[in-house]
Amino acid sequence: MGEKTLTRMDLSEAVFREVGLSRNESAQLVESMLEHMSDALVQGEQVKISSFGTFSVREKSARIGRNPKTGEEVPIQPRRVLTFRPSHLMKDRVADGNRKS
Amino acid sequence: MIRSELIQKIADENPHLYQRDVERIVNTVFEEVTGAMARGDRVELRGFGAFSVKKRDARIGRNPRTGETVHVEEKHVPFFKTGKLLRDRLNGKQ
């Protein structure tokens, strides 16, 4: 099993191998994918990629938090958080690929 | 936004590319991420977020309908943590 960390570089390398654009252009395309997805999410839109998963933005209301170390109460402002729900296909592939044999 | 809309946006910005190549590019990126996690690797995309694999220990589960106990095996699940920049942008910072 892995433990490696892939970065943007590895993704653009894959695009470079698959389509044969320049490395530079491949990198720009990966970046622009991430930007379009981020922009949609910031606008409160859901990003639903079939057979991959769904990114959605959830509104969390204000609450009183507590500093676990000092026990001190701190207000937590209302905020928006992003959640990712993997598709069944992704869940199955990740479960199968990491199963101890 | 769905996959085809993402493909369309990128195609519109890159009129020199064939639509079918843009499709391949977008599909390749998602496939790389899934493939990495299937190997137990993580994918860290600074500013956007990181995909990793979390281990769920084996446990004794219960069939909620019958109350019967069942053994649930250890399994690995995909996990995404939002990047700092995107988290800040979602909350109107910069």
Side-chain angles (χ1 to χ4, degrees), chain B residues 17-32:
Chain B
L17 297 178
Y18 289 114
Q19 175 96 11
R20 60 151 207 278
D21 283 340
V22 177
E23 276 169 33
R24 279 171 67 201
I25 291 161
V26 169
N27 294 344
T28 297
V29 170
F30 290 123
E31 173 52 37
E32 279 296 302

Side-chain angles (χ1 to χ4, degrees), chain A residues 1-8 10-11 14-15 17-19 21 25 29-30 32-34 36-42 45-52 55 57 78-82 84 86 90-91 93-95 97-100, chain B residues 1-3 5-6 9-10 13-14 16-17 21 24-48 51 53 55 73-80 82 86-87 89-92:
Chain A
M1 183 168 119
E3 299 291 298
K4 244 178 60 183
T5 299
L6 276 70
T7 63
R8 279 174 170 73
D10 300 284
L11 301 185
V15 169
R17 283 196 312 264
E18 178 72 21
V19 193
L21 302 168
E25 190 171 14
L29 286 161
V30 170
S32 107
M33 267 179 74
L34 297 176
H36 284 304
M37 290 168 65
S38 303
D39 289 350
L41 293 164
V42 168
E45 242 185 273
Q46 214 181 37
V47 175
K48 203 169 183 167
I49 308 295
S50 55
S51 77
F52 185 81
F55 297 90
V57 179
R79 65 211 156 98
R80 294 203 300 169
V81 296
L82 177 56
F84 174 68
M90 178 189 280
K91 281 195 202 165
R93 283 186 60 190
V94 170
N98 290 283
R99 188 162 290 141
K100 279 189 283 190
Chain B
M1 174 191 269
I2 59 174
R3 187 195 290 259
E5 290 165 337
L6 176 60
K9 278 180 193 288
I10 295 174
E13 284 171 347
N14 296 276
H16 62 293
L17 297 178
D21 283 340
R24 279 171 67 201
I25 291 161
V26 169
N27 294 344
T28 297
V29 170
F30 290 123
E31 173 52 37
E32 279 296 302
V33 176
T34 307
M37 284 192 284
R39 294 190 302 270
D41 290 339
R42 50 196 309 273
V43 182
E44 195 175 309
L45 304 167
R46 282 283 161 88
F48 183 79
F51 295 90
V53 179
K55 185 178 136 196
E73 275 181 48
E74 168 191 305
K75 67 172 177 184
H76 291 81
V77 296
F79 179 75
F80 176 77
T82 313
L86 182 51
R87 205 186 323 134
R89 278 190 66 198
L90 285 169
N91 290 290

